[in-house]
Amino acid sequence: AAPSTGSGAGMKDKLTDRSPLHTQLREVIRAKIDEGEYPPGTCIPSESQLSEAYGLNRLSVRSALAALEYEGLLHSVQGKGVFVTAPKLERDMETLGGFRQTMRERSQRPGTRVLLKALRQAGPLYAQILGCAPEEDIWYVRRICQANGKPIALEEIFIPTDVVPGFEEVDINLFSIFEVYRWNGIYPVRGEQRLAITHLDPAEARLIGLREENAVLEFSGATYDREGRAIEFSRSYTHSDRCEFLVHFQR
């Protein structure tokens, strides 16, 4: 059920004439989300309820809700209402760690669904990145990464076969690839990552619950061990409305 608005807006929620009314309503709803009055997963009051509570026309209410949905704070479900989304997952771009470790550090339940784990030829591009011959076989992993059961990224990983002997026997739905590295005495110490904004084709977008027109964050880069050897190249396409990324700056 939608949270009650009471007989009207509270004193702290009253709108003024100092700025556009739809902007003020947007900030009131944002505050209620931030303060936990509208917790994640709940349905907020309907357009008509908000219109009555704040004395606004439906167009102004719709504009406020649309702005919050664009920011990823709300999600509209046709025929059911407008729901508060889960908090975005923060990931520190300066810290090297696997997906499962990163999610656990943020109190999220990590999960992966492997779509493909197979050998393929490195080819010129990945041979140059991974320091092997183009005709050599490398491991190719394609998987969906999940947080609390929800898909947040489509990921591809390319690994030289000599890095992880016996990799074909490991169930990477159960164990993280960083765990596999550790079992083999390999410790990632350095990485580089590039960020781009792109779109997936329709079939790939559906895998992580997106429409074709939704943009995704594309992260790609190599990871290196203590000897400076490239141990993997990865590329992930991440929900832009479910993750935010932190970068520290220092003089």
Side-chain angles (χ1 to χ4, degrees):
S4 171
T5 59
S7 58
M11 290 297 294
K12 70 172 182 176
D13 299 336
K14 284 188 176 179
L15 307 185
T16 70
D17 58 0
R18 288 179 295 179
S19 61
L21 295 178
H22 72 273
T23 302
Q24 294 183 58
L25 178 60
R26 181 193 67 195
E27 296 310 311
V28 166
I29 296 173
R30 186 200 306 279
K32 289 178 181 291
I33 293 172
D34 290 342
E35 294 166 7
E37 185 174 341
Y38 296 162
T42 60
C43 184
I44 70 168
S46 66
E47 283 186 12
S48 59
Q49 287 175 311
L50 291 170
S51 178
E52 181 180 352
Y54 295 99
L56 299 179
N57 60 51
R58 295 280 288 272
L59 184 59
S60 293
V61 172
R62 200 167 296 142
S63 295
L65 299 182
L68 291 169
E69 185 166 8
Y70 182 78
E71 292 179 34
L73 295 176
L74 297 176
H75 177 60
S76 177
V77 180
Q78 188 171 6
K80 294 188 176 181
V82 179
F83 294 81
V84 180
T85 61
K88 291 187 176 183
L89 301 172
E90 184 184 276
R91 186 166 183 176
D92 189 340
M93 292 184 68
E94 296 175 306
T95 302
L96 186 61
F99 171 76
R100 291 174 185 268
Q101 173 189 337
T102 302
M103 292 301 100
R104 290 188 184 111
E105 288 172 354
R106 281 144 185 81
S107 301
Q108 301 289 319
R109 187 179 76 255
T112 55
R113 179 161 69 90
V114 176
L115 304 174
L116 180 64
K117 184 177 82 168
L119 291 169
R120 54 154 286 175
Q121 280 198 339
L125 174 62
Y126 300 112
Q128 181 178 6
I129 294 171
L130 299 173
C132 60
E135 64 275 9
E136 280 187 40
D137 281 342
I138 60 174
W139 283 106
Y140 172 64
V141 175
R142 189 166 183 259
R143 65 184 184 176
I144 296 172
C145 298
Q146 302 169 327
N148 292 337
K150 293 184 178 180
I152 62 169
L154 176 64
E155 185 177 43
E156 297 179 303
I157 306 172
F158 304 82
I159 307 170
T161 53
D162 62 346
V163 169
V164 282
F167 191 56
E168 66 274 9
E169 304 297 333
V170 179
D171 186 344
I172 55 174
N173 281 311
L174 299 178
F175 301 101
S176 76
I177 293 177
F178 269 53
E179 286 178 303
V180 179
Y181 292 152
R182 191 169 64 249
W183 297 342
N184 286 277
I186 296 164
Y187 298 94
V189 297
R190 181 174 67 87
E192 58 188 32
Q193 201 164 62
R194 293 176 176 84
L195 169 63
I197 298 175
T198 187
H199 290 80
L200 295 172
D201 67 38
E204 290 182 324
R206 284 194 295 271
L207 288 172
I208 54 174
L210 291 175
R211 296 189 295 269
E212 180 183 1
E213 62 269 21
N214 294 136
V216 293
L217 302 174
E218 178 188 340
F219 291 90
S220 62
T223 301
Y224 302 86
D225 67 5
R226 291 169 174 171
E227 285 69 50
R229 174 181 57 163
I231 59 173
E232 74 168 38
F233 175 82
S234 66
R235 182 186 298 114
S236 69
Y237 302 98
T238 302
H239 261 267
S240 59
D241 62 341
R242 293 186 183 169
C243 292
E244 58 185 18
F245 295 84
L246 176 65
V247 179
H248 297 281
F249 293 92
Q250 184 174 331
R251 294 191 62 166

